[in-house]
Amino acid sequence: METLRTSGILSCKLPLKLTETPLNVGVSRRVGFAYLRNQRRTNIQSLCLTKSLTDNSGGGFSSSSQDGSSIVEDDKEEGLLLGTERDDSGSVVGFHLIPQSGDSKVIDSHGNGANVREEVSEDIEGGEEPATLVTHNIVFVTAEAAPYSKTGGLGDVCGSLPIALAARGHRVMVVSPRYLDGGLSDEKFAGAVDSKCQIKVYCFGGVQEVGFFHEYKAGVDWVFVDHPSYHRPGTPYGDIFGAFGDNQFRFTLLCHAACEAPLVLPLGGYTYGEKCLFLANDWHAGLVPVLLAAKYRPYGVYKDARSIIVIHNLAHQGVEPAVTYKNLGLPPEWYGALEWVFPTWARTHALDTGEAVNVLKGAIVTADRILTVSQGYSWEITTAEGGYGLQELLSSRKIVLNGIINGIDVKEWDPSSDKHISSHYSIDDLSGKVQCKIGLQKELGLPSRPDCPLIGFIGRLDFQKGVDLILAALPELLQDDVQFVMLGSGEKQYEDWMRVTESLYKDKFRGWVGFNVPISHRITAGCDILLMPSRFEPCGLNQLYAMRYGTIPVVHGTGGLKNTVVNFNPYAREGRGEGTGWTFSPLTRENMLAALRVAIGTYMEHKSSWEELMKRGMERESSWDNAAVQYEQVFKWAFIDPPYVS
Ligand SMILES: Nc1ncnc2c1ncn2[C@@H]1O[C@H](COP(=O)(O)OP(=O)(O)O[C@H]2O[C@H](CO)[C@@H](O)[C@H](O)[C@H]2O)[C@@H](O)[C@H]1O
């Protein structure tokens, strides 16, 4: 089958700088200790020549070895203790360098400076604990990455987690489409230059020429896959007429391109090589683990790579009619991996056999590990209520299923420096918050009333976010002396409802239909309460932003909301109180109204409790640092096991 060729290598127009290191299989497998040392010297020398690296600070530096993991090297020959880390099958999965003393440093392959990385100690049979630094070549594959593209939380995560991992010494690439819509947003891609490297992707009955653009920023290689199908008005997924009909094609291209990128792109002079760790995000990237198993490993490529499917939202699985399987560039015998049969009740007519392909299912049965964005959600997806039909499959892989709560970009979301808000404030001086509230009321044309409780909602207007509950409860809620602002876009019925409600409650309600990041910051800062009645919420970011801005979340106790918002208890800790918001459950209009009314009552009548609530939320550690450490643990587990599909 044509698609089995790793055609990208052959058709890459840019001559690779590292011609002495063939991009073939088994580089890492043949690596013996002596070979490795020599090879590393060669690499480091050429790295120094290419990039004029200097490291005068002592300690050491690292190179990215051709096979993947970075090796921290002491610059004194006699100080070097290097050991290979092997898995059960004897494959090299990492390298240990144990410096004799002093700090170890990691220099990224772009030579843009040294990153001092926390040392990770490993127990070695009860004796002294030498430091072990194992870093990885990580390839994020995602349909969106902020600030280049963002329609929701996926963009936020894939725009900030890679930076956090790069700062910890990993070599990180993010592969995402180069969306151009002919408007102002195209400027976001202005810093990405054409790599002049093109590959051929064999799929959908033909051959597609795909290019790569590249920008190195914040320690990360941002790689944008270029193809005419990404150049059109609308969001990454659709336009005013709905979802694009060719999304399966567009994201198939993304996955094929992402699998080739580490092999063909000499970023900063070096390819990432075969020993990568792919983080495939949601169904759009779900073909990556399948391609590794079906297209590459049978031909000896990516034998030592690992893949993790990161599920941000199980409700979207990339399901299309079974006949489309032949378009995906996969060998026919792998059909079973994607095979999906709808239950009888879900079929549309008597002749509907219910046969389909499900890309996310393919990822779940081929990825080495599965991650979700909170512990709560990692359990929910194994249940009939939260599994969207995949619960049994996910349960069968429970042993490799973990949840890690998302972090947030604490620089972008910082009330003491946020460029989008009218006044700055911090936990030590909250006075600016009321200015933000007044500013928001003015901007939206609401009466300027600093004492009136202002409730906000930000998010997609759809079933997941529980907008129907807000719609059902608002007429009653607006009987009280409150103001309510909503920012969102999505289902037309809700957008229309927002417009009508605004005209009915001119002094109390404002609905901003659309996607507007600066306004989302101003609502987060200006409101007193943020409402999130999500039916399910894998993690949720808005409640994290809200807490950081001293805005109290009132949320349905589900998934990541339950894991991140601690219910307010004024009597805990000998009357000093604890909690950062309110969680209600089960999800009913009455429960939501009751929780809101308790929150409003506390705001009106217990000012000091309210301030304590605000401060506890603002103090909460939400940076990516914690999450990045947990991700590293999962990476480690991924490399301990042999590839799930070899
Ligand atoms: N109209 C608008 N204008 C401006 N900004 C808007 C907006 N509507 C939404 N946003 C922003 O988009 C992001 C949405 O974050 P969510 O966590 O709600 O993610 P979402 O449901 O998209 O993603 C999924 O992935 C994320 C990441 O893993 C999970 O947190 C989440 O639970 C899961 O459903 C936030 O930054 C929010 O401020």
Side-chain angles (χ1 to χ4, degrees):
M1 198 170 173
E2 282 189 324
T3 48
L4 297 181
R5 293 183 218 140
T6 51
S7 55
I9 300 169
L10 302 175
S11 62
C12 182
K13 290 178 187 158
L14 186 70
L16 299 180
K17 290 183 193 161
L18 275 182
T19 45
E20 67 273 24
T21 308
L23 288 171
N24 60 0
V25 199
V27 172
S28 64
R29 304 185 137 248
R30 283 186 278 107
V31 175
F33 181 77
Y35 172 82
L36 185 72
R37 278 182 66 156
N38 293 337
Q39 182 69 10
R40 287 187 315 115
R41 271 199 214 116
T42 314
N43 283 351
I44 291 164
Q45 276 161 13
S46 61
L47 188 72
C48 294
L49 285 174
T50 321
K51 289 288 172 187
S52 307
L53 270 185
T54 51
D55 178 31
N56 301 324
S57 56
F61 59 85
S62 82
S63 70
S64 256
S65 68
Q66 192 59 40
D67 70 300
S69 56
S70 289
I71 308 149
V72 181
E73 178 162 336
D74 198 324
D75 51 4
K76 295 188 188 70
E77 185 80 6
E78 56 281 6
L80 187 70
L81 282 169
L82 180 69
T84 50
E85 190 189 346
R86 290 176 184 276
D87 64 17
D88 292 346
S89 66
S91 295
V92 177
V93 295
F95 302 96
H96 291 182
L97 179 102
I98 308 167
Q100 284 189 324
S101 63
D103 284 339
S104 297
K105 293 194 172 187
V106 177
I107 287 187
D108 61 43
S109 58
H110 295 74
N112 284 5
N115 297 323
V116 180
R117 183 174 179 242
E118 275 171 39
E119 295 187 356
V120 182
S121 296
E122 258 196 8
D123 279 329
I124 301 181
E125 290 171 6
E128 290 282 292
E129 290 183 2
T132 302
L133 300 183
V134 179
T135 59
H136 299 284
N137 284 358
I138 300 167
V139 182
F140 278 78
V141 188
T142 175
E144 46 183 291
Y148 302 98
S149 53
K150 167 175 161 173
T151 70
L154 174 64
D156 283 345
V157 171
C158 291
S160 49
L161 173 58
I163 296 173
L165 289 168
R168 297 179 60 78
H170 302 280
R171 193 177 181 207
V172 186
M173 176 198 305
V174 179
V175 186
S176 192
R178 182 169 174 261
Y179 301 111
L180 300 180
D181 70 0
L184 284 178
S185 62
D186 293 359
E187 272 302 300
K188 292 177 183 160
F189 293 95
V193 296
D194 190 350
S195 71
K196 307 276 189 239
C197 181
Q198 294 216 314
I199 59 163
K200 287 183 166 52
V201 174
Y202 295 84
C203 65
F204 283 76
V207 55
Q208 301 293 328
E209 287 257 333
V210 172
F212 295 97
F213 281 63
H214 172 243
E215 178 171 18
Y216 181 69
K217 199 170 84 180
V220 173
D221 289 304
W222 304 91
V223 171
F224 301 108
V225 179
D226 195 43
H227 185 271
S229 66
Y230 302 133
H231 305 170
R232 60 174 69 150
T235 74
Y237 314 111
D239 58 17
I240 49 166
F241 303 108
F244 295 132
D246 58 351
N247 278 344
Q248 190 194 43
F249 169 71
R250 298 164 79 233
F251 295 117
T252 296
L253 282 187
L254 172 68
C255 293
H256 279 269
C259 289
E260 290 291 309
L263 305 176
V264 303
L265 291 178
L267 304 174
Y270 287 78
T271 61
Y272 274 54
E274 287 183 32
K275 195 189 165 191
C276 288
L277 176 64
F278 286 92
L279 287 184
N281 292 275
D282 276 350
W283 81 264
H284 323 100
L287 278 185
V288 167
V290 189
L291 286 167
L292 296 184
K295 179 182 162 187
Y296 290 91
R297 288 211 180 106
Y299 296 85
V301 184
Y302 283 132
K303 281 270 184 219
D304 292 322
R306 298 290 188 280
S307 62
I308 299 175
I309 176 76
V310 187
I311 299 173
H312 299 261
N313 195 334
L314 193 64
H316 303 280
Q317 301 178 1
V319 179
E320 294 288 346
V323 290
T324 62
Y325 178 80
K326 65 179 187 310
N327 294 332
L328 304 178
L330 288 165
E333 63 273 20
W334 278 80
Y335 175 71
L338 271 70
E339 184 179 18
W340 183 249
V341 183
F342 281 105
T344 320
W345 62 263
R347 300 179 194 173
T348 48
H349 52 80
L351 298 178
D352 183 354
T353 57
E355 289 168 51
V357 286
N358 181 328
V359 174
L360 190 62
K361 181 226 158 181
I364 290 167
V365 299
T366 51
D368 295 298
R369 299 197 70 91
I370 303 163
L371 263 176
T372 68
V373 286
S374 70
Q375 300 89 335
Y377 193 60
S378 73
W379 172 78
E380 283 173 16
I381 61 176
T382 63
T383 67
E385 291 76 19
Y388 282 86
L390 290 171
Q391 61 272 14
E392 281 170 25
L393 212 50
L394 285 161
S395 299
S396 74
R397 300 215 61 200
K398 230 173 191 167
I399 197 146
V400 293
L401 169 63
N402 298 100
I404 300 175
I405 294 274
N406 287 328
I408 60 174
D409 183 337
V410 289
K411 281 197 192 123
E412 198 205 333
W413 292 90
D414 181 354
S416 67
S417 59
D418 189 328
K419 62 177 191 266
H420 300 300
I421 63 179
S422 55
S423 184
H424 291 144
Y425 59 96
S426 68
I427 195 164
D428 301 319
D429 178 6
L430 291 167
S431 56
K433 183 157 172 73
V434 77
Q435 299 308 320
C436 291
K437 180 173 179 177
I438 294 167
L440 181 66
Q441 287 168 328
K442 272 197 189 134
E443 179 174 6
L444 298 181
L446 285 168
S448 250
R449 295 189 51 205
D451 291 332
C452 177
L454 178 54
I455 306 164
F457 169 92
I458 301 167
R460 255 178 302 114
L461 303 176
D462 69 8
F463 178 79
Q464 177 191 346
K465 302 294 179 185
V467 183
D468 50 324
L469 257 92
I470 300 181
L471 188 144
L474 218 68
E476 187 177 332
L477 182 67
L478 293 183
Q479 303 298 316
D480 299 347
D481 186 22
V482 297
Q483 294 178 339
F484 201 111
V485 298
M486 281 181 81
L487 167 65
S489 57
E491 289 181 28
K492 189 171 177 310
Q493 50 165 331
Y494 297 130
E495 296 185 352
D496 292 344
W497 168 82
M498 273 163 63
R499 293 190 183 101
V500 171
T501 308
E502 186 172 303
S503 62
L504 289 177
Y505 300 93
K506 285 201 176 62
D507 287 350
K508 292 191 167 185
F509 182 87
R510 282 293 174 278
W512 184 296
V513 175
F515 195 91
N516 189 313
V517 172
I519 293 281
S520 75
H521 282 243
R522 291 200 277 279
I523 291 179
T524 304
C527 285
D528 302 300
I529 295 168
L530 187 88
L531 178 62
M532 293 183 73
S534 306
R535 246 182 205 87
F536 67 94
E537 198 58 83
C539 175
L541 296 173
N542 288 320
Q543 82 281 12
L544 303 180
Y545 301 145
M547 287 188 276
R548 190 158 161 77
Y549 280 64
T551 302
I552 310 302
V554 174
V555 304
H556 173 214
T558 181
L561 296 176
K562 197 169 163 184
N563 289 149
T564 53
V565 178
V566 180
N567 207 28
F568 177 50
N569 176 357
Y571 308 110
R573 302 193 309 141
E574 292 164 356
R576 280 176 291 137
E578 71 176 14
T580 53
W582 279 270
T583 60
F584 60 90
S585 183
L587 181 68
T588 62
R589 171 185 171 278
E590 288 67 32
N591 285 344
M592 183 180 84
L593 276 171
L596 275 175
R597 288 202 166 115
V598 176
I600 292 164
T602 309
Y603 171 81
M604 297 297 287
E605 287 155 33
H606 302 280
K607 294 286 181 201
S608 64
S609 292
W610 191 263
E611 194 170 314
E612 292 303 313
L613 262 167
M614 288 170 72
K615 287 184 172 167
R616 282 194 293 272
M618 293 175 88
E619 266 169 359
R620 186 182 183 280
E621 165 57 44
S622 293
S623 75
W624 273 109
D625 296 345
N626 276 343
V629 173
Q630 294 175 54
Y631 267 85
E632 282 172 341
Q633 178 61 64
V634 174
F635 300 164
K636 190 171 170 183
W637 290 334
F639 281 101
I640 286 172
D641 294 328
Y644 183 57
V645 184
S646 49

